[in-house]
Amino acid sequence: MALKCGIIGITNIGKTTKFKCISKTKAETSNFAYSASKSNLGVVDVPDNRLDEIARMVNPEKVVPATVEIVDIPGLAKGASQGEGIGNKFLEDIQRCDAMVHVLRCFDDENLPHIEGSVNPVRDLEIVDLELQVKDLEMVERKIQRTEKLVKTGDKDAKKTIEVLVRYKDHFENFQNARTLDVTDSEKAVVGDLFLLTEKPVVYVCNVDEGSAVSGNKYVETVRTALEGQDTEILVIAGALEADIAELETEEERMEFLEDAGLAEPSVNLMIRAAYDLLNLQSYFTEGPKEVRAWTVKKGMNARQAAGVIHSDLERGFIRAEVIKFKDFVELGSENAVKDAGKMKLEGKDYIVEDGDLMFIRFNV
Ligand SMILES: Nc1nc2c(ncn2[C@@H]2O[C@H](COP(=O)(O)OP(=O)(O)OP(=O)(O)O)[C@@H](O)[C@H]2O)c(=O)[nH]1
Ligand SMILES: [Mg+2]
């Protein structure tokens, strides 16, 4: 099953607008709170300049980018965990995701009322976080009850388990997210079966007005201050502007508008790459006259597992991988030049694949 990244946030702040910029999936946007009644799933190309550069050099018949699954989830509101708004259903959709892009409204627009009556991204962030925390608290409390029964039967581990669970419980009761609790890996494993919502890795996206696309605005500053000290990325995206640009017919037109806005590429690209990274994914490349292609592997996969992403035969019959570093390929200009310079490495099955490796798999079945 593919890993998925969910776009979450309070209702009516531009989540679906962003989703439409990056995905070919049809999705409804509207001016009304809670108008969306279902999540949208999109398989989204991962923009990668390295792939484009290899393609320019090799000039293949076909270029195939990596993809990542993004789910646009309808907005939450205060009380969602108690069934408010569209309620619990979307918390379940978030549960099925492996990472989250949390969108925050950081733009003024008199024509677009805010569900809470004013623009305040930090308050919105706290509202959404609280809904997730309440859900997580519920999960942890239920596990505490289950485990207490085990303590009574004399299970020795159960007592330790409860100690860890209580730490999580206290943490949620202090309005904190699971990901910020200081725990060891084995302690974390205690809640592994709960798939806690606030444990999932997150990146924040500040949705700003056109004029703030490059340097942000006062709302973005409040978000930065609120998240200070947390190891988390904050992206700034002018959603409406990027939606307009995505609608343009030609690449030239799109580039012109981006340049006018002071951007080198659509900022939604950063969002896609951030999602890919949060999901712990990276790419390696294969190149030839027929096809230049990016393949998705989990970080830390070895060469043999990575070969299996192309085809199970390559994993089963793996002999070795010929590995070229992207930098060498670009600097030296071709596969042969890299070989002549002695910079192509032969690697065995245990080689840990690095992001951006060019690989040719030798196999025999
Ligand atoms: N001014 C302005 N309006 C925006 C921006 N992004 C989205 N909107 C408008 O906000 C409204 C809601 O946008 P959606 O993308 O449907 O919002 P959503 O977060 O998906 O809403 P729900 O699915 O109901 O949670 C639409 O009318 C959009 O045109 C933006 O960056 N600036
Ligand atoms: Mg929506």
Side-chain angles (χ1 to χ4, degrees):
M1 202 177 62
L3 298 173
K4 290 196 281 286
C5 182
I7 305 179
I8 68 160
I10 212 157
T11 185
N12 221 14
I13 46 146
K15 296 183 296 299
T16 303
T17 304
K18 288 212 167 46
F19 177 78
K20 280 172 46 171
C21 293
I22 60 175
S23 153
K24 290 160 200 117
T25 313
K26 291 232 180 322
E28 294 291 322
T29 54
S30 96
N31 250 322
F32 302 102
Y34 314 129
S35 59
S37 57
K38 66 170 184 42
S39 296
N40 302 302
L41 172 68
V43 179
V44 173
D45 290 349
V46 179
D48 191 330
N49 295 329
R50 299 169 305 183
L51 183 73
D52 300 339
E53 201 154 343
I54 297 168
R56 267 197 299 278
M57 290 166 59
V58 176
N59 205 10
E61 284 169 28
K62 206 164 86 185
V63 182
V64 185
T67 57
V68 61
E69 291 196 5
I70 307 262
V71 194
D72 165 41
I73 300 170
L76 292 173
K78 213 187 259 176
S81 54
Q82 315 304 321
E84 199 54 48
I86 317 177
N88 265 326
K89 180 176 177 303
F90 298 122
L91 288 172
E92 280 164 28
D93 286 352
I94 296 174
Q95 193 130 40
R96 278 191 282 270
C97 291
D98 306 283
M100 314 185 280
V101 169
H102 189 156
V103 179
L104 300 165
R105 174 166 169 178
C106 292
F107 62 86
D108 292 310
D109 184 346
E110 281 167 17
N111 298 318
L112 185 67
H114 190 292
I115 184 86
E116 293 291 319
S118 65
V119 178
N120 182 340
V122 174
R123 173 207 57 209
D124 292 354
L125 187 159
E126 285 168 358
I127 289 176
V128 170
D129 272 358
L130 180 63
E131 294 311 317
L132 306 184
Q133 289 155 11
V134 168
K135 191 80 192 161
D136 282 353
L137 177 62
E138 222 177 272
M139 301 291 287
V140 165
E141 280 176 334
R142 259 190 259 154
K143 183 156 179 177
I144 289 175
Q145 283 171 8
R146 287 198 303 273
T147 315
E148 270 166 354
K149 288 189 193 131
L150 292 177
V151 175
K152 287 194 191 117
T153 68
D155 187 320
K156 271 196 260 105
D157 293 335
K159 235 179 125 196
K160 273 206 194 94
T161 299
I162 289 192
E163 275 167 27
V164 176
L165 291 170
V166 167
R167 279 176 63 204
Y168 274 95
K169 178 172 177 281
D170 291 346
H171 198 59
F172 297 136
E173 283 171 348
N174 286 319
F175 308 107
Q176 301 298 314
N177 296 318
R179 72 179 81 84
T180 63
L181 184 64
D182 193 11
V183 282
T184 64
D185 284 346
S186 64
E187 287 168 343
K188 200 186 256 182
V190 168
V191 296
D193 59 337
L194 302 182
F195 301 101
L196 297 174
L197 299 169
T198 65
E199 180 82 68
K200 297 177 195 295
V202 65
V203 53
Y204 295 92
V205 168
C206 294
N207 196 13
V208 298
D209 54 283
E210 196 170 327
S212 311
V214 178
S215 46
N217 59 24
K218 62 177 186 208
Y219 297 124
V220 177
E221 285 318 307
T222 63
V223 174
R224 285 195 208 286
T225 307
L227 294 173
E228 208 155 35
Q230 287 190 33
D231 179 24
T232 178
E233 198 175 355
I234 302 168
L235 299 175
V236 175
I237 304 183
L241 169 73
E242 302 230 350
D244 288 346
I245 292 177
E247 295 268 301
L248 295 171
E249 290 281 322
T250 68
E251 183 64 24
E252 284 82 49
E253 278 179 300
R254 285 195 288 271
M255 284 315 293
E256 200 182 312
F257 271 77
L258 281 171
E259 237 167 73
D260 283 348
L263 301 170
E265 67 172 328
S267 301
V268 284
N269 287 4
L270 307 180
M271 184 176 108
I272 302 170
R273 285 199 291 265
Y276 197 60
D277 191 56
L278 279 185
L279 293 171
N280 219 19
L281 302 174
Q282 62 180 24
S283 300
Y284 77 91
F285 306 113
T286 51
E287 54 86 18
K290 278 214 149 33
E291 183 180 89
V292 165
R293 182 160 182 164
W295 300 91
T296 300
V297 290
K298 288 206 187 99
K299 290 177 197 168
M301 264 193 182
N302 64 33
R304 185 176 179 165
Q305 293 167 319
V309 172
I310 299 179
H311 195 286
S312 56
D313 281 354
L314 272 67
E315 182 166 3
R316 203 154 46 87
F318 182 92
I319 299 170
R320 62 173 185 270
E322 300 174 358
V323 181
I324 296 176
K325 293 293 157 196
F326 171 75
K327 194 170 139 277
D328 292 333
F329 190 75
V330 172
E331 266 171 29
L332 296 164
S334 74
E335 193 181 313
N336 283 333
V338 174
K339 282 183 185 163
D340 291 345
K343 292 204 163 167
M344 192 192 78
K345 293 255 166 57
L346 296 181
E347 302 284 3
K349 61 179 171 29
D350 295 328
Y351 168 72
I352 301 299
V353 176
E354 286 181 15
D355 187 37
D357 280 349
L358 284 94
M359 298 218 289
F360 184 80
I361 312 292
R362 298 270 174 210
F363 73 108
N364 184 15
V365 283

